[in-house]
């Protein structure tokens, strides 16, 4: 069984992990709609996907924007088999200094958006009795990380959300899982200082950053027909830095 | 052309996998026809599509029996 002919929506696909996921799915014959927050980002996605999909602008915190993108997918492709909730932001600060809007924006983009998108794709997947929802969590949702109370809360929230939804819709042939990356070589981790990177490396048995393609491989597996009996699970991809 | 009642019953039979004779007016989806809460949500979705209407959540929650489904559609259907 292959994934050829399926259609996937990957949020936050202009760069980093999301781009690697989109490219990995395309390699399996999947048509990918990748989203970015700006039209410029969407155009960049269209450029690298070429005839294997398209980039669209999406604000995951705006219900109308989500409705418009899902309507577009329905009209153009007539189906959506795979949803990868990858879009995420950080607004790091010590809790003592964290502003309400730093908390709210991270929870809205990283957690509530997953609720909105998952709900939006549910009807089509339920009717077809098949579907894959894959949420990109994070190792820090399990371990915690100082300065990231908002991000850790959102990423841990995804794990609980995933388990609840997985139980609700397992009988309809839809699986819901998380992939929890450790420290991956992306713009998000490039912003760390040298000292921060060295401190992190000391705790990674693999003694290196992970590559976006290594996250994409886990996502592709969960999206594949062979993973049909895995649901509510979180696959940690972190070079051994946390074993749970 | 089938009546609304016939069309509603047909959807209930298909969605819940029950026999025609079980679909009595007073039959409760969850108590009598073996539906769980998600089955009921799907049933409402199927009714929405069959009758090209949108059933608000607060109305959908009241559709618990065969008769209540027929009544809702009779009162709200576009066709």
């Amino acid at each position: 069984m292959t994934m050829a002919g399926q259609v996937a929506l990957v949020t936050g696909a202009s760069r980093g992990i999301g781009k690697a996921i989109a490219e990995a799915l395309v390699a399996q014959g999947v048509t990918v709609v990748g989203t970015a927050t700006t039209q410029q980002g969407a155009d960049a996605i269209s450029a690298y996907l070429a005839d294997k999909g398209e980039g669209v602008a999406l604000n995951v915190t705006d219900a109308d924007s989500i409705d418009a993108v899902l309507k577009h997918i329905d009209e153009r492709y007539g189906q959506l088999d795979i949803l990868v909730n990858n879009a995420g932001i950080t607004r790091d600060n010590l809790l003592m200094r964290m502003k309400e809007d730093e908390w709210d924006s991270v929870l809205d983009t990283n957690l509530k958006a997953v609720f909105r998108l998952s709900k939006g794709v549910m009807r089509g997947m339920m009717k077809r009795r098949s579907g894959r929802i894959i949420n990109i969590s994070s190792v820090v949702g399990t371990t915690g990380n100082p300065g990231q109370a908002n991000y850790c809360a959102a990423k841990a929230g995804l794990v609980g959300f995933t388990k609840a939804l997985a139980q609700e819709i397992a009988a309809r042939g839809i699986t819901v899982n998380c992939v929890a990356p450790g420290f991956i070589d992306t713009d998000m981790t490039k912003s760390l200082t040298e000292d921060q990177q060295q401190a992190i490396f000391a705790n990674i048995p693999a003694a290196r950053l992970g590559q976006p393609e290594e996250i994409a491989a886990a996502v592709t597996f969960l999206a594949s027909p062979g993973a049909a009996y895995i649901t509510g699970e979180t696959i940690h991809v972190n070079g051994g830095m946390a074993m749970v | 052309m089938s009546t609304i009642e016939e069309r509603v019953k047909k959807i209930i039979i298909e969605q819940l996998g029950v026999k025609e004779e079980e679909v009595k007016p007073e039959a409760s989806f969850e108590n009598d026809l073996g539906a769980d809460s998600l089955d009921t949500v799907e049933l409402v979705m199927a009714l929405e599509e069959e009758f090209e209407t949108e059933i608000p959540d607060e109305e959908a929650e009241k559709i618990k029996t065969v008769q209540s489904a027929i009544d809702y559609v009779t009162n709200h259907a576009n066709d």
Side-chain angles (χ1 to χ4, degrees), chain A residues 10-27:
Chain A
V10 180
T11 65
S14 63
R15 56 200 167 102
I17 291 171
K19 182 179 182 186
I21 292 168
E23 290 180 324
L25 290 172
V26 161

PDB file of all heavy atoms in Angstrom, chain A residues 10-27:
ATOM      1  N   VAL A  10      -0.062  20.726   5.567  1.00  0.00           N
ATOM      2  CA  VAL A  10       1.032  20.892   6.519  1.00  0.00           C
ATOM      3  C   VAL A  10       1.127  22.366   6.881  1.00  0.00           C
ATOM      4  O   VAL A  10       1.403  23.209   6.020  1.00  0.00           O
ATOM      5  CB  VAL A  10       2.379  20.415   5.921  1.00  0.00           C
ATOM      6  CG1 VAL A  10       3.503  20.602   6.930  1.00  0.00           C
ATOM      7  CG2 VAL A  10       2.291  18.966   5.465  1.00  0.00           C
ATOM      8  N   THR A  11       0.898  22.690   8.140  1.00  0.00           N
ATOM      9  CA  THR A  11       0.984  24.102   8.539  1.00  0.00           C
ATOM     10  C   THR A  11       2.430  24.456   8.869  1.00  0.00           C
ATOM     11  O   THR A  11       3.212  23.610   9.316  1.00  0.00           O
ATOM     12  CB  THR A  11       0.079  24.411   9.745  1.00  0.00           C
ATOM     13  OG1 THR A  11       0.547  23.694  10.892  1.00  0.00           O
ATOM     14  CG2 THR A  11      -1.371  24.043   9.464  1.00  0.00           C
ATOM     15  N   GLY A  12       2.761  25.708   8.643  1.00  0.00           N
ATOM     16  CA  GLY A  12       4.123  26.170   8.927  1.00  0.00           C
ATOM     17  C   GLY A  12       5.150  25.486   8.050  1.00  0.00           C
ATOM     18  O   GLY A  12       6.180  24.999   8.527  1.00  0.00           O
ATOM     19  N   ALA A  13       4.888  25.455   6.737  1.00  0.00           N
ATOM     20  CA  ALA A  13       5.702  24.629   5.841  1.00  0.00           C
ATOM     21  C   ALA A  13       6.746  25.421   5.052  1.00  0.00           C
ATOM     22  O   ALA A  13       7.384  24.875   4.166  1.00  0.00           O
ATOM     23  CB  ALA A  13       4.786  23.879   4.870  1.00  0.00           C
ATOM     24  N   SER A  14       6.930  26.698   5.382  1.00  0.00           N
ATOM     25  CA  SER A  14       7.850  27.486   4.554  1.00  0.00           C
ATOM     26  C   SER A  14       9.310  27.161   4.837  1.00  0.00           C
ATOM     27  O   SER A  14      10.182  27.385   4.005  1.00  0.00           O
ATOM     28  CB  SER A  14       7.580  28.982   4.725  1.00  0.00           C
ATOM     29  OG  SER A  14       7.820  29.378   6.052  1.00  0.00           O
ATOM     30  N   ARG A  15       9.588  26.641   6.027  1.00  0.00           N
ATOM     31  CA  ARG A  15      10.988  26.349   6.346  1.00  0.00           C
ATOM     32  C   ARG A  15      11.044  25.315   7.469  1.00  0.00           C
ATOM     33  O   ARG A  15      10.016  24.883   7.984  1.00  0.00           O
ATOM     34  CB  ARG A  15      11.728  27.627   6.767  1.00  0.00           C
ATOM     35  CG  ARG A  15      11.063  28.346   7.930  1.00  0.00           C
ATOM     36  CD  ARG A  15      11.498  29.817   7.997  1.00  0.00           C
ATOM     37  NE  ARG A  15      10.637  30.575   8.901  1.00  0.00           N
ATOM     38  CZ  ARG A  15      10.970  30.914  10.143  1.00  0.00           C
ATOM     39  NH1 ARG A  15      12.141  30.584  10.638  1.00  0.00           N
ATOM     40  NH2 ARG A  15      10.137  31.584  10.900  1.00  0.00           N
ATOM     41  N   GLY A  16      12.257  24.928   7.809  1.00  0.00           N
ATOM     42  CA  GLY A  16      12.501  24.068   8.969  1.00  0.00           C
ATOM     43  C   GLY A  16      11.803  22.721   8.886  1.00  0.00           C
ATOM     44  O   GLY A  16      11.768  22.073   7.839  1.00  0.00           O
ATOM     45  N   ILE A  17      11.245  22.309  10.021  1.00  0.00           N
ATOM     46  CA  ILE A  17      10.626  20.992  10.121  1.00  0.00           C
ATOM     47  C   ILE A  17       9.438  20.862   9.172  1.00  0.00           C
ATOM     48  O   ILE A  17       9.274  19.834   8.513  1.00  0.00           O
ATOM     49  CB  ILE A  17      10.202  20.724  11.591  1.00  0.00           C
ATOM     50  CG1 ILE A  17      11.451  20.560  12.470  1.00  0.00           C
ATOM     51  CG2 ILE A  17       9.306  19.496  11.685  1.00  0.00           C
ATOM     52  CD1 ILE A  17      11.163  20.501  13.969  1.00  0.00           C
ATOM     53  N   GLY A  18       8.625  21.904   9.071  1.00  0.00           N
ATOM     54  CA  GLY A  18       7.441  21.839   8.211  1.00  0.00           C
ATOM     55  C   GLY A  18       7.806  21.613   6.756  1.00  0.00           C
ATOM     56  O   GLY A  18       7.157  20.831   6.046  1.00  0.00           O
ATOM     57  N   LYS A  19       8.857  22.288   6.307  1.00  0.00           N
ATOM     58  CA  LYS A  19       9.304  22.118   4.921  1.00  0.00           C
ATOM     59  C   LYS A  19       9.796  20.688   4.699  1.00  0.00           C
ATOM     60  O   LYS A  19       9.478  20.056   3.684  1.00  0.00           O
ATOM     61  CB  LYS A  19      10.411  23.123   4.602  1.00  0.00           C
ATOM     62  CG  LYS A  19      10.900  23.061   3.165  1.00  0.00           C
ATOM     63  CD  LYS A  19      11.992  24.096   2.900  1.00  0.00           C
ATOM     64  CE  LYS A  19      12.418  24.044   1.442  1.00  0.00           C
ATOM     65  NZ  LYS A  19      13.564  24.935   1.171  1.00  0.00           N
ATOM     66  N   ALA A  20      10.549  20.180   5.660  1.00  0.00           N
ATOM     67  CA  ALA A  20      11.059  18.806   5.531  1.00  0.00           C
ATOM     68  C   ALA A  20       9.911  17.800   5.491  1.00  0.00           C
ATOM     69  O   ALA A  20       9.953  16.812   4.746  1.00  0.00           O
ATOM     70  CB  ALA A  20      12.014  18.487   6.687  1.00  0.00           C
ATOM     71  N   ILE A  21       8.868  18.051   6.285  1.00  0.00           N
ATOM     72  CA  ILE A  21       7.696  17.164   6.289  1.00  0.00           C
ATOM     73  C   ILE A  21       7.004  17.206   4.934  1.00  0.00           C
ATOM     74  O   ILE A  21       6.669  16.163   4.355  1.00  0.00           O
ATOM     75  CB  ILE A  21       6.716  17.559   7.424  1.00  0.00           C
ATOM     76  CG1 ILE A  21       7.329  17.264   8.794  1.00  0.00           C
ATOM     77  CG2 ILE A  21       5.374  16.828   7.259  1.00  0.00           C
ATOM     78  CD1 ILE A  21       6.565  17.886   9.961  1.00  0.00           C
ATOM     79  N   ALA A  22       6.810  18.419   4.416  1.00  0.00           N
ATOM     80  CA  ALA A  22       6.144  18.557   3.119  1.00  0.00           C
ATOM     81  C   ALA A  22       6.931  17.812   2.038  1.00  0.00           C
ATOM     82  O   ALA A  22       6.353  17.084   1.223  1.00  0.00           O
ATOM     83  CB  ALA A  22       6.005  20.036   2.764  1.00  0.00           C
ATOM     84  N   GLU A  23       8.240  17.969   2.055  1.00  0.00           N
ATOM     85  CA  GLU A  23       9.064  17.319   1.031  1.00  0.00           C
ATOM     86  C   GLU A  23       9.052  15.794   1.189  1.00  0.00           C
ATOM     87  O   GLU A  23       9.034  15.058   0.194  1.00  0.00           O
ATOM     88  CB  GLU A  23      10.493  17.873   1.084  1.00  0.00           C
ATOM     89  CG  GLU A  23      10.538  19.330   0.590  1.00  0.00           C
ATOM     90  CD  GLU A  23      11.934  19.940   0.608  1.00  0.00           C
ATOM     91  OE1 GLU A  23      12.705  19.610   1.542  1.00  0.00           O
ATOM     92  OE2 GLU A  23      12.228  20.733  -0.296  1.00  0.00           O
ATOM     93  N   ALA A  24       9.035  15.330   2.433  1.00  0.00           N
ATOM     94  CA  ALA A  24       9.016  13.883   2.657  1.00  0.00           C
ATOM     95  C   ALA A  24       7.689  13.277   2.196  1.00  0.00           C
ATOM     96  O   ALA A  24       7.655  12.176   1.637  1.00  0.00           O
ATOM     97  CB  ALA A  24       9.257  13.573   4.135  1.00  0.00           C
ATOM     98  N   LEU A  25       6.598  13.979   2.429  1.00  0.00           N
ATOM     99  CA  LEU A  25       5.293  13.468   1.990  1.00  0.00           C
ATOM    100  C   LEU A  25       5.206  13.466   0.469  1.00  0.00           C
ATOM    101  O   LEU A  25       4.695  12.517  -0.136  1.00  0.00           O
ATOM    102  CB  LEU A  25       4.161  14.304   2.605  1.00  0.00           C
ATOM    103  CG  LEU A  25       3.964  14.122   4.118  1.00  0.00           C
ATOM    104  CD1 LEU A  25       2.952  15.128   4.655  1.00  0.00           C
ATOM    105  CD2 LEU A  25       3.517  12.708   4.465  1.00  0.00           C
ATOM    106  N   VAL A  26       5.707  14.529  -0.133  1.00  0.00           N
ATOM    107  CA  VAL A  26       5.727  14.592  -1.598  1.00  0.00           C
ATOM    108  C   VAL A  26       6.497  13.398  -2.172  1.00  0.00           C
ATOM    109  O   VAL A  26       6.088  12.790  -3.163  1.00  0.00           O
ATOM    110  CB  VAL A  26       6.339  15.928  -2.068  1.00  0.00           C
ATOM    111  CG1 VAL A  26       6.787  15.836  -3.523  1.00  0.00           C
ATOM    112  CG2 VAL A  26       5.323  17.060  -1.911  1.00  0.00           C
ATOM    113  N   ALA A  27       7.589  13.041  -1.506  1.00  0.00           N
ATOM    114  CA  ALA A  27       8.405  11.912  -1.977  1.00  0.00           C
ATOM    115  C   ALA A  27       7.617  10.603  -1.954  1.00  0.00           C
ATOM    116  O   ALA A  27       7.963   9.647  -2.651  1.00  0.00           O
ATOM    117  CB  ALA A  27       9.669  11.787  -1.136  1.00  0.00           C
TER     118      ALA A  27
END
